[in-house]
Amino acid sequence: MNAASSRYCGSCGGRLARDNTDSLCARCIGHSRRAQDTAPDVPERFWHTDQMRDAFAAQHIGRVSAAYRLHPHHPRPISQERLGRWLTLTQAQVSRIESGPPIRDLDRLAHWARTLRMPPHLLWFDLPGRPRPTPVTVAPAAGSSGQLSPPVPAAGGTLDTIRSATLAFRAADRQLGGGRLYPVVVRFLQTEVAPQLVGHQYPPSVIFSAAASLTDMAGWLAYDDDRGDLAAQHFVQAFGLATAAGDQALSAQALVSQSQLALENGHPRDAVRLAQAGLALVPDDPRYGALRSRLHAMTARGNALAGASAACQAALRNAERELARAVPPGDEWLSPFDEAALAAEAAICLRDLHDWTAAEREALRVLELRTPDRTRSRAFTNLTLATVHLGRGDLDATCDAGIRVLDAATQLDSDRVVNHVRALGRRLEPHLGLPAVDEFLSHLATTLPARAVEAS
């Protein structure tokens, strides 16, 4: 067979055998068939949509199955027949399980959980050899018309309780804001975590790392509640706890928090210095790629705020490269940093450099990646979009984005969101008389009549 008549595999590019009439080589056909016989890997956010949460809360594996199959993450819905192949069930059996009474048999439940790779902390049953962490739930508050209330962790101070509480606090933070959650986290730190620091139940490094992570979270909740001085204290405490644990990655996380607080307070040089100090602590290792990406993003933010465009762009490239090579760190105490988070930071950088088109592109990417339950993240991204549109003089688009923020503000207890949207309103006041501006300012006055704390 000469080069002109050669045919190549559409997957790996290898030369096809003469008698192969398919578009794939035998090896790739085998890989493709095996892939169809097992559930695909899905990102962590897959499991945290409202539909998935409701299915798990119902404690009905059939409802979880249906939510899994129809999840918008899949390029096309998973058929009952295909799911049945993964589970060694017939389509009819899958259908009966999805529409029938809940399964109670532990072996059958465990088979579904393992096959679909369900996170153990979401399950209502224990997998053999892998007991669940003590459950912490975010439930509707009584009489709140479905509004979420802060999670109430189980008492006991065990490491599983602390681990489970941390996951629940992170999930609630994205939806509730700092106002309602901050006192809950501080109380948990004082009553459940602090006593363990002087006890002997766990190795000091483990419990100090847990305390550092939660203290860092408390700092951001305080800042979201417009208590910047308290936030700064928490971040310093988190650094001290991480240092006591000998955990360089958590020490760097506390520094990245201090760096971001410096940015919010208008101190770009301090922000860059703190981010660079954090980078010096973190090993050049793909397991810490997400954290290193976040540190580079803070460096980029500081340089953008200082007007150093070339340095900002270089830091953003470093952040993208680190995130692209990142692998899961296996460190449960590190805060997540993903593609959407980096796009959000890049949008702010590009806005501060007045690159309106690129900033809008990155902000829209965040909204595409962030699911609707990420209320606060989407609110801040719409605030970024609003300031981008205002910078380019598109007042109609500015007001549209501002109204989306107002809609989110009614679901959040976040003074930071409120202060920023009020500041946007003040910037629009010189344009009173334009229909879009009048509508937005009217909506602002109606939606937030009692929120008196404003940005200076």
Side-chain angles (χ1 to χ4, degrees):
M1 182 182 293
N2 58 41
S5 61
S6 294
R7 296 171 52 250
Y8 302 96
C9 175
S11 176
C12 70
R15 184 176 288 109
L16 295 174
R18 292 184 180 181
D19 59 349
N20 186 345
T21 59
D22 289 312
S23 59
L24 301 178
C25 67
R27 184 176 61 178
C28 289
I29 289 173
H31 286 324
S32 177
R33 287 173 179 166
R34 285 192 293 274
Q36 292 179 13
D37 290 337
T38 58
D41 290 325
V42 295
E44 176 67 20
R45 66 176 182 271
F46 177 96
W47 304 102
H48 296 290
T49 65
D50 289 339
Q51 186 176 9
M52 292 302 303
R53 287 196 190 97
D54 291 346
F56 280 108
Q59 298 189 4
H60 190 308
I61 201 68
R63 295 187 187 178
V64 175
S65 169
Y68 179 97
R69 290 192 306 101
L70 303 176
H71 199 293
H73 170 80
H74 303 305
R76 60 180 61 85
I78 305 295
S79 68
Q80 290 180 336
E81 181 182 10
R82 185 180 178 194
L83 185 74
R85 286 202 303 272
W86 301 342
L87 293 158
T88 63
L89 298 173
T90 66
Q91 181 273 327
Q93 287 173 316
V94 172
S95 178
R96 283 196 297 270
I97 290 169
E98 290 189 351
S99 59
I103 292 175
R104 302 299 182 194
D105 181 77
L106 179 58
D107 288 341
R108 295 173 70 191
L109 290 171
H111 177 55
W112 282 71
R114 288 195 179 107
T115 299
L116 299 185
R117 304 171 191 171
M118 298 176 187
H121 68 273
L122 295 179
L123 303 176
W124 61 96
F125 54 89
D126 289 333
L127 294 174
R130 293 187 64 188
R132 287 165 294 154
T134 303
V136 181
T137 58
V138 182
S144 64
S145 303
Q147 290 292 316
L148 292 175
S149 62
V152 181
T158 68
L159 193 60
D160 277 346
T161 300
I162 296 169
R163 181 182 293 114
S164 185
T166 301
L167 292 172
F169 289 145
R170 282 178 185 164
D173 177 34
R174 296 161 183 162
Q175 296 176 268
L176 296 174
R180 280 178 282 173
L181 198 56
Y182 175 71
V184 179
V185 172
V186 169
R187 185 165 58 251
F188 184 78
L189 274 165
Q190 293 170 342
T191 61
E192 303 298 332
V193 181
Q196 301 295 332
L197 296 174
V198 294
H200 303 285
Q201 185 176 0
Y202 301 106
S205 61
V206 174
I207 198 66
F208 273 86
S209 290
S213 179
L214 274 167
T215 302
D216 184 72
M217 182 191 301
W220 280 112
L221 294 172
Y223 186 71
D224 199 39
D225 199 35
D226 199 33
R227 294 191 252 185
D229 291 344
L230 268 179
Q233 292 175 28
H234 283 304
F235 293 150
V236 171
Q237 291 167 355
F239 182 82
L241 288 164
T243 301
D247 192 326
Q248 289 183 295
L250 271 177
S251 296
Q253 178 168 286
L255 288 174
V256 85
S257 296
Q258 293 179 48
S259 175
Q260 192 157 352
L261 190 60
L263 285 169
E264 300 286 346
N265 291 330
H267 303 300
R269 291 183 180 176
D270 288 342
V272 172
R273 175 180 56 79
L274 288 161
Q276 292 297 307
L279 280 167
L281 287 175
V282 184
D284 186 7
D285 185 317
R287 291 176 300 168
Y288 301 105
L291 176 57
R292 290 180 64 85
S293 177
R294 188 178 174 196
L295 287 157
H296 282 299
M298 290 305 100
T299 302
R301 287 271 310 271
N303 283 315
L305 197 60
S309 177
C312 170
Q313 297 286 356
L316 282 178
R317 287 192 295 272
N318 288 336
E320 291 171 359
R321 183 170 59 251
E322 291 284 2
L323 195 59
R325 72 172 187 142
V327 298
D331 189 336
E332 59 200 322
W333 306 119
L334 289 177
S335 299
F337 187 78
D338 56 16
E339 183 182 355
L342 178 55
E345 303 295 356
I348 295 172
C349 289
L350 295 163
R351 178 203 63 189
D352 290 348
L353 294 174
H354 297 178
D355 188 344
W356 311 121
T357 300
E360 180 183 18
R361 182 178 63 247
E362 293 295 329
L364 291 175
R365 189 159 158 242
V366 178
L367 295 177
E368 179 183 348
L369 292 170
R370 284 286 185 244
T371 52
D373 59 319
R374 298 294 294 270
T375 309
R376 189 178 57 189
S377 175
R378 293 176 66 89
F380 275 113
T381 300
N382 275 308
L383 277 164
T384 300
L385 264 179
T387 53
V388 168
H389 293 316
L390 186 60
R392 61 163 44 132
D394 187 343
L395 297 181
D396 286 346
T398 300
C399 294
D400 286 344
I403 286 175
R404 291 195 295 273
V405 178
L406 286 173
D407 291 342
T410 62
Q411 306 172 46
L412 291 166
D413 191 354
S414 170
D415 280 337
R416 205 158 50 114
V417 170
V418 169
N419 290 345
H420 279 288
V421 76
R422 285 188 180 278
L424 178 65
R426 289 195 295 273
R427 293 180 66 183
L428 286 168
E429 284 175 357
H431 304 283
L432 274 168
L434 293 176
V437 174
D438 291 348
E439 180 185 357
F440 169 71
L441 292 177
S442 175
H443 196 175
L444 175 63
T446 303
T447 304
L448 304 174
R451 304 299 288 266
V453 181
E454 300 187 7
S456 59

